[in-house]
Amino acid sequence: MSETTLGATAAAIPATMRVSLLRGVRDLVLDERPVPEPGPGQVLVRVNAVGTCGSDVHYYEEGRIGNFVVRRPLVLGHESGGVVAAVGPDVTRNHPGQRVSIEPGVPCFTCDQCRTGHYNLCPDMRFFGTPPIDGAFSEYVVVHEAMAHPVPDTLSDEAAALLEPLSVGVWACRKGGVGPGSRVLVTGAGPIGLIAAQTARAFGAGEVVVTDVRPHRLEVAADLGADATVNVAERPVTGFEPDVLLECSGVPAAIGAAIRLVGRGGRVVLIGMGGDEIPLPLDHVQRHEIQVTGTFRYANTWPTAIALAASGKVDLDRLVTHRFDLAEAERALTVAARDDTAIKPVVHP
C-alpha cells in the first residue's frame, strides 16, 4: 500500500482476511483472501457489523433473485459499517480511524440516471452481495469514498450497518409522499416494515397501522410506536382508510387486499419482494386515482437516515435479535427459520 494513507494502527492491517463465501445453494464456507488495497478515490474499511437481509437468504437458499444468478463463489452482505483503515490516493472525504456506514452500491456517476439524481437506477450499478459483486461478509472491504458516510459516535456499530435498511424506509416514504398528518398502512412487520413504520412516524404521519401474521413482530411494532396493529391471519383491517400504503410483505394476496383499503388520491409503494406478479384491483385503482409505484433501493438517503437514527426518532438497535461471528454466517442466514422471534441477525466479522 505504498500510495495509501494508513492510520496509526497501520501495522495491524493483515495481509489476508477471512470471508464467508457462498459456493452454491446452501454451501457457505469460511475462506481466506488478500486484504484489498484501496485505489484512487477509495477507502479500505474494517467491517464491524453486517446485517443479514432477505436477499442474502434468497441467494443462500435458491442461488438467485430474479435475473441475478450466483454463477461463481460470492461474498454476501450489504448492510454494513465499520472503521476506515486506510485511504487511497486523492481521497478527501474520509480519514483513517473514522467510523462510517457503507452505502453498498457504486453507480457509474455518468449515465442519464446518475446525472439526474436517480443513481439507484444506474444500469451499471455495482452493488455489494449481488452477483457478481462481492459483499461485506468479510473482515475488510474497499468502497468509493462517496459511499463511506461518517457517523456520529452516538450510533452503535450495528445501527451504523442498519442505516442501509433505514435508507429503504426513507426512500419508500419519499416515494409515497408521507408527510404531516398522513394516514399510513404498513403491511408486513419484518425488519423493513418495522423501519418503514418508524420512518413514516418521523416524517410526520398522523396515524400508522401495521399488519402481519406473527404476534411477536406486531408486539415490536407497537413498542416502536405504531398506533394500531392487526394480525391479518385472525381478522382483516377495518375502519381505517390510509392515504399511503407501504407494502412490505411481498405476499401477492395481501397486496391486493391492502390496495382496496387505500382512499381517494392515495399512494401505494411496493417495497416487499414476493411473486413476479400481483393481483391488481384495477377498478379501485382507477376510480380512486391511486398512484402505484415500485421502489428499487434508494438514492441520496444517507444524510436523512443518519439524522433519524442519531436523533432517536428511529430505533435501529431494537431490531437486532441475534449476533454471530463471521464463522457463523450460515447460522445468521437460517436463524429465522428456527426462531420466530428473529428480526435482524447481525454478523460481526
Side-chain angles (χ1 to χ4, degrees):
M1 295 185 178
S2 57
E3 296 186 28
T4 60
T5 300
L6 305 180
T9 59
I13 300 177
T16 62
M17 64 179 184
R18 299 182 307 158
V19 302
S20 179
L21 192 65
L22 181 68
R23 298 186 302 187
V25 173
R26 297 181 182 272
D27 182 10
L28 201 67
V29 297
L30 200 62
D31 199 9
E32 188 170 333
R33 289 183 174 181
V35 172
E37 182 172 347
Q42 295 181 328
V43 299
L44 176 70
V45 177
R46 185 178 74 247
V47 181
N48 286 338
V50 190
T52 60
C53 175
S55 63
D56 298 317
V57 176
H58 273 293
Y59 286 127
Y60 169 77
E61 292 185 343
E62 301 170 18
R64 67 182 302 153
I65 298 177
N67 294 328
F68 295 108
V69 182
V70 180
R71 302 188 186 280
R72 64 170 180 79
L74 179 72
V75 178
L76 296 172
H78 60 268
E79 304 175 359
S80 61
V83 177
V84 175
V87 301
D90 305 322
V91 168
T92 59
R93 289 168 48 99
N94 304 108
H95 59 80
Q98 188 174 50
R99 297 179 65 241
V100 295
S101 172
I102 297 174
E103 184 171 352
V106 180
C108 73
F109 297 107
T110 60
C111 70
D112 289 344
Q113 298 297 333
C114 287
R115 290 199 305 269
T116 57
H118 302 102
Y119 62 82
N120 58 311
L121 301 179
C122 173
D124 295 320
M125 174 70 75
R126 297 174 59 83
F127 198 87
F128 272 21
T130 300
I133 308 303
D134 284 329
F137 278 2
S138 62
E139 293 180 312
Y140 291 87
V141 295
V142 163
V143 64
H144 191 285
E145 66 170 331
M147 304 303 174
H149 300 274
V151 297
D153 288 337
T154 53
L155 285 185
S156 69
D157 289 338
E158 293 172 339
L162 298 186
L163 289 172
E164 195 277 342
L166 176 50
S167 281
V168 174
V170 169
W171 188 243
C173 284
R174 288 179 180 172
K175 295 280 283 185
V178 177
S182 295
R183 293 160 55 87
V184 179
L185 175 62
V186 179
T187 48
I192 294 298
L194 294 171
I195 285 173
Q198 292 185 78
T199 307
R201 176 69 76 202
F203 273 41
E207 190 172 3
V208 178
V209 174
V210 179
T211 69
D212 203 283
V213 297
R214 298 187 184 184
H216 173 72
R217 291 191 172 187
L218 293 174
E219 291 173 7
V220 175
D223 289 344
L224 292 173
D227 294 286
T229 62
V230 179
N231 187 331
V232 289
E234 299 175 350
R235 64 182 179 89
V237 177
T238 58
F240 181 64
E241 185 179 84
D243 307 310
V244 182
L245 166 62
L246 301 178
E247 206 305 301
C248 303
S249 75
V251 179
I255 297 171
I259 290 175
R260 288 185 174 89
L261 298 172
V262 178
R264 299 177 185 277
R267 297 166 298 282
V268 173
V269 185
L270 302 176
I271 309 162
M273 296 178 64
D276 290 337
E277 297 181 0
I278 63 170
L280 183 68
L282 187 58
D283 180 65
H284 182 81
V285 169
Q286 288 182 324
R287 285 190 297 106
H288 292 76
E289 290 199 350
I290 293 170
Q291 301 176 40
V292 181
T293 182
T295 59
F296 189 61
R297 298 169 182 159
Y298 34 68
N300 304 302
T301 52
W302 250 257
T304 299
I306 291 170
L308 290 178
S311 68
K313 292 181 178 180
V314 174
D315 186 351
L316 296 172
D317 292 309
R318 177 69 174 82
L319 304 179
V320 179
T321 54
H322 297 75
R323 297 172 175 86
F324 298 94
D325 180 79
L326 187 61
E328 302 174 304
E330 189 166 24
R331 291 180 59 199
L333 294 172
T334 58
V335 66
R338 304 186 304 272
D339 187 346
D340 282 343
T341 68
I343 295 176
K344 180 61 70 171
V346 173
V347 173
H348 289 271

